[in-house]
Amino acid sequence: LMHIYVKNVESLNCQAKLFIEAGKFDEAEATYKQLMKECPNNLYQEEIKTMLDSMDERRAALGKVKDLEKWSAKLAEARSLEQRKQFERSKAQYLEASEGAPAGSEIRRNAEEGLARLQQIGGRIRDQFQLALGKLQEHKAEKALELFEPLQGEWPEDEWAQKARKQVVFLRSQQQRLREEIVAAKAVEGRGQDDQALRAFERIVNEYGDFEEILALKPHLEALGAKLHNADAMLAQAREAEKAGKLEEALTGYGRLLTSCRTYLVSQKVSLPVRVTSFPPGATVRVNGAELAKTPARIELPAGEEIALAVELAGYATFKKRIERLEPADLELTVRLDRGALLTVRLPAPARAPPV
């Protein structure tokens, strides 16, 4: 029986120590109490009493160790998130560690430093965002883009970085549309539709005025506007000269328009007067098959269309001319009709009857 008693004491004492090593102080305390109850006069009773008295202190010490481990893990997580540029989550972890870690501990100090660092970066991002907005207000979209673009990738989760990203997407889209519309407007101008091109360029300037590319476009816009204005004035002067009977002056004016402002005339679908004189007079003038007048005549021909002109008089060969585009020389046509050019059809003489 003594052997069993000793063995039981040794077993319970060993088990209690293992619980202590594992940090299971409740289980250790329960085991020691069981040992004292079942074997009150064992060899380890003084040691057991000391262990029981220190159990609360051991629990407190273990709690502090676990608490430090918890906040150390929190700090490590915050640093990992910072390295991955997950700004908001990292800031939240630093904040929690700075408030929860033991006062004066290295963990708390490091967490406070990390939080201050992120707050400083966030402030710099915010300040640069505001600076970029200022450039937009100054109509310097390209400069604003230079400031917005670095922000969107530095700390993607930051509130101001996200706003910067939206600005970059919008401004890049606007810039692309601006360039496409400039190309389209120049294509319209290249087709001779100067008035439509001018309206397109004016709309582009009004809609995309924040971009510095517009500055390079304005001189071209002004030159195109001046060209159209001069063409209007030249056409009006030629019309007035014609009304006043100054035909030579009018023809000279119309000729200058065809030489220097043809695209304007084509885009405006302007028709110019053409004088047609024939020898002999009284011939019929036809344009694209339609009868317009008798010579001498004044007719209107479009400046930008292909025309089939014919002058015909009975007994004379028809004069024909295809005008691919109206030239200054076409504004006054003198036609000499040729009778000798008529096609003469000779009928064969009747056959004579054979002699009887």
Side-chain angles (χ1 to χ4, degrees):
L1 290 176
M2 181 61 69
H3 177 73
I4 295 173
Y5 175 84
V6 172
K7 189 175 181 180
N8 187 38
V9 169
E10 292 292 340
S11 176
L12 290 174
N13 187 45
C14 182
Q15 187 177 1
K17 288 182 177 180
L18 290 175
F19 280 137
I20 290 176
E21 289 177 3
K24 299 179 179 181
F25 298 114
D26 291 341
E27 290 85 343
E29 185 176 17
T31 302
Y32 277 135
K33 288 181 178 179
Q34 179 185 352
L35 177 58
M36 292 298 291
K37 180 179 180 181
E38 294 179 0
C39 310
N41 298 317
N42 64 79
L43 296 174
Y44 305 106
Q45 56 183 340
E46 293 300 326
E47 178 185 345
I48 292 172
K49 289 180 180 178
T50 302
M51 294 297 290
L52 288 173
D53 291 341
S54 66
M55 203 60 69
D56 289 339
E57 184 179 344
R58 289 175 180 274
R59 285 194 185 93
L62 179 62
K64 289 180 180 180
V65 170
K66 288 186 175 181
D67 193 47
L68 287 174
E69 289 176 351
K70 168 188 172 183
W71 296 116
S72 180
K74 185 73 68 174
L75 178 63
E77 183 180 2
R79 286 172 172 170
S80 176
L81 291 169
E82 181 181 357
Q83 289 176 354
R84 298 199 301 271
K85 296 186 176 182
Q86 298 184 20
F87 184 90
E88 295 300 326
R89 293 178 61 193
S90 176
K91 188 165 62 173
Q93 296 293 335
Y94 276 131
L95 178 61
E96 188 176 349
S98 68
E99 293 177 347
S105 66
E106 184 178 357
I107 295 173
R108 185 163 189 163
R109 183 172 64 254
N110 290 336
E112 290 172 348
E113 290 174 356
L115 180 62
R117 183 170 58 253
L118 292 189
Q119 288 173 339
Q120 182 179 7
I121 293 173
R124 180 176 57 77
I125 293 175
R126 182 188 63 248
D127 293 344
Q128 188 165 327
F129 182 89
Q130 296 296 340
L131 181 61
L133 284 183
K135 293 300 179 183
L136 275 182
Q137 293 173 356
E138 296 172 8
H139 305 292
K140 297 180 179 179
E142 288 86 352
K143 295 294 184 184
L145 270 171
E146 290 178 5
L147 294 169
F148 281 135
E149 286 187 319
L151 300 182
Q152 63 176 342
E154 185 173 5
W155 293 104
E157 291 187 354
D158 177 67
E159 173 188 1
W160 297 99
Q162 291 177 6
K163 290 182 179 180
R165 187 180 305 111
K166 292 179 181 179
Q167 287 289 342
V168 169
V169 171
F170 173 75
L171 290 175
R172 284 299 181 199
S173 174
Q174 288 287 95
Q175 191 177 52
Q176 180 63 27
R177 285 202 296 269
L178 164 62
R179 291 170 179 173
E180 290 173 354
E181 292 190 22
I182 288 176
V183 170
K186 288 184 176 179
V188 171
E189 183 182 1
R191 294 195 297 269
Q193 300 170 317
D194 291 347
D195 58 328
Q196 295 182 27
L198 179 63
R199 289 195 295 272
F201 282 129
E202 287 175 341
R203 185 185 57 75
I204 289 171
V205 169
N206 292 332
E207 186 171 346
Y208 302 99
D210 290 337
F211 289 90
E212 294 179 9
E213 292 179 51
I214 294 299
L215 297 178
L217 189 63
K218 285 183 178 179
H220 182 74
L221 177 62
E222 292 171 359
L224 184 59
K227 176 183 176 182
L228 291 174
H229 177 74
N230 291 338
D232 281 335
M234 290 171 63
L235 181 61
Q237 289 174 3
R239 298 281 194 206
E240 288 298 324
E242 185 181 6
K243 288 180 181 178
K246 302 176 182 179
L247 298 181
E248 294 302 324
E249 181 180 338
L251 286 173
T252 300
Y254 291 135
R256 287 172 57 199
L257 278 167
L258 284 172
T259 301
S260 61
C261 302
R262 178 180 298 277
T263 55
Y264 165 77
L265 297 176
V266 172
S267 67
Q268 295 293 314
K269 299 182 179 179
V270 174
S271 293
L272 297 180
V274 175
R275 289 195 301 175
V276 182
T277 305
S278 70
F279 294 97
T284 300
V285 180
R286 294 182 182 276
V287 173
N288 295 334
E291 181 178 339
L292 292 188
K294 300 287 186 180
T295 60
R298 176 193 181 280
I299 61 175
E300 295 273 343
L301 294 182
E305 297 180 13
E306 186 174 336
I307 298 297
L309 178 72
V311 180
E312 56 187 35
L313 183 63
Y316 292 85
T318 299
F319 170 84
K320 295 181 179 181
K321 181 175 183 179
R322 180 166 294 279
I323 302 174
E324 293 183 358
R325 68 174 194 171
L326 206 60
E327 300 290 348
D330 298 324
L331 296 177
E332 190 167 18
L333 294 176
T334 300
V335 179
R336 295 184 182 277
L337 299 175
D338 187 1
R339 184 188 293 273
L342 287 171
L343 176 64
T344 303
V345 180
R346 296 185 180 276
L347 298 176
R352 295 183 180 181
V356 178

